[in-house]
Amino acid sequence: MPDITTLILDDHAWFRRRFAALDELQARAGTDPRELARVWDPLAARLDVHAVAEERIFYPQLLARGEDPREETVDAIGDHNEIRDGIAQAQRSPVGSRGWWDGVWNARRANDEHMGEEENEGLANFRLHVAPELRESLGARFAEFMDAHPDPGDLAGLDGPDGTDLDPEDYVEARLDQPDQAGRGLGIGHLRGQSQ
């Protein structure tokens, strides 16, 4: 099983390819809105579910085990909110309209910034400070979550983050108040505190 950092990077690569496909469609005059929706709808859904998976699985662990992860996590949760806001903006307009494209590109800009920061900060921090066995265990949990929730509508009623905007400071404070909460239920309690 790949570790969680690899799975997150794989999703990032997929996001970049999907946005590139939208670039291609935008460059063609008269693109059918159904063709745009075939690219955008799964992309928007996965962006949202990916953010929730990170909020439920990755960031609590980073806060518990990373080196000075508070600012990275606050920034990441804020980025997730901006991505969701762009998706919501696009959903309020007809596919292919100016308002729709504005929402798509707002989500893209926020996601591009988020991925770059996460790859250079949070993921790198996690690889340096978390044992490979824990990263693999979390990878299994991340993959299971993504498979179980292919659509943001599947997130309703979950405990914890559910695809709605979160207050970044409240998110961090709640997890710092209960640092062991991140590892519960993962079958990895014996790995707590281990690093490479």
Side-chain angles (χ1 to χ4, degrees):
M1 170 57 65
D3 80 32
I4 191 168
T5 65
T6 301
L7 294 176
I8 290 171
L9 289 171
D10 289 348
D11 268 3
H12 288 184
W14 188 84
F15 296 150
R16 288 180 174 107
R17 288 191 303 273
R18 297 299 281 199
F19 277 116
L22 285 173
D23 288 342
E24 292 294 329
L25 292 174
Q26 188 178 28
R28 292 194 322 216
T31 299
D32 185 334
R34 290 174 296 191
E35 202 172 347
L36 293 170
R38 276 193 293 272
V39 174
W40 172 248
D41 290 348
L43 172 56
R46 188 152 184 111
L47 283 166
D48 202 7
V49 175
H50 174 93
V52 173
E54 287 185 344
E55 291 161 1
R56 292 173 64 89
I57 300 166
F58 177 67
Y59 281 101
Q61 294 290 329
L62 179 65
L63 283 165
R65 293 168 175 82
E67 185 172 304
D68 300 323
R70 181 185 171 82
E71 185 177 330
E72 293 171 26
T73 303
V74 166
D75 191 49
I77 302 305
D79 291 344
H80 287 174
N81 290 341
E82 290 178 15
I83 294 164
R84 290 181 182 116
D85 292 347
I87 292 168
Q89 180 184 0
Q91 290 172 335
R92 290 191 298 268
S93 299
V95 175
S97 69
R98 172 66 185 228
W100 181 83
W101 279 112
D102 287 346
V104 168
W105 297 128
N106 286 338
R108 182 185 193 167
R109 278 189 289 279
N111 191 56
D112 285 350
E113 179 180 326
H114 172 68
M115 290 187 305
E117 290 173 349
E118 189 171 68
E119 289 168 10
N120 292 315
E121 296 170 4
L123 294 175
N125 186 347
F126 207 66
R127 282 190 297 272
L128 289 172
H129 298 99
V130 177
E133 297 84 5
L134 176 53
R135 295 194 320 257
E136 289 169 9
S137 180
L138 293 170
R141 181 76 182 264
F142 189 88
E144 289 169 14
F145 185 89
M146 295 299 290
D147 289 345
H149 305 286
D151 185 274
D154 299 331
L155 300 170
L158 292 178
D159 290 336
D162 63 0
T164 57
D165 282 0
L166 302 171
D167 181 285
E169 293 288 344
D170 288 350
Y171 173 90
V172 169
E173 289 306 319
R175 277 132 195 98
L176 289 177
D177 287 344
Q178 299 176 350
D180 285 340
Q181 190 65 34
R184 289 191 186 140
L186 298 175
I188 53 177
H190 67 284
L191 295 172
R192 177 142 172 76
Q194 289 185 15
S195 62
Q196 294 188 49

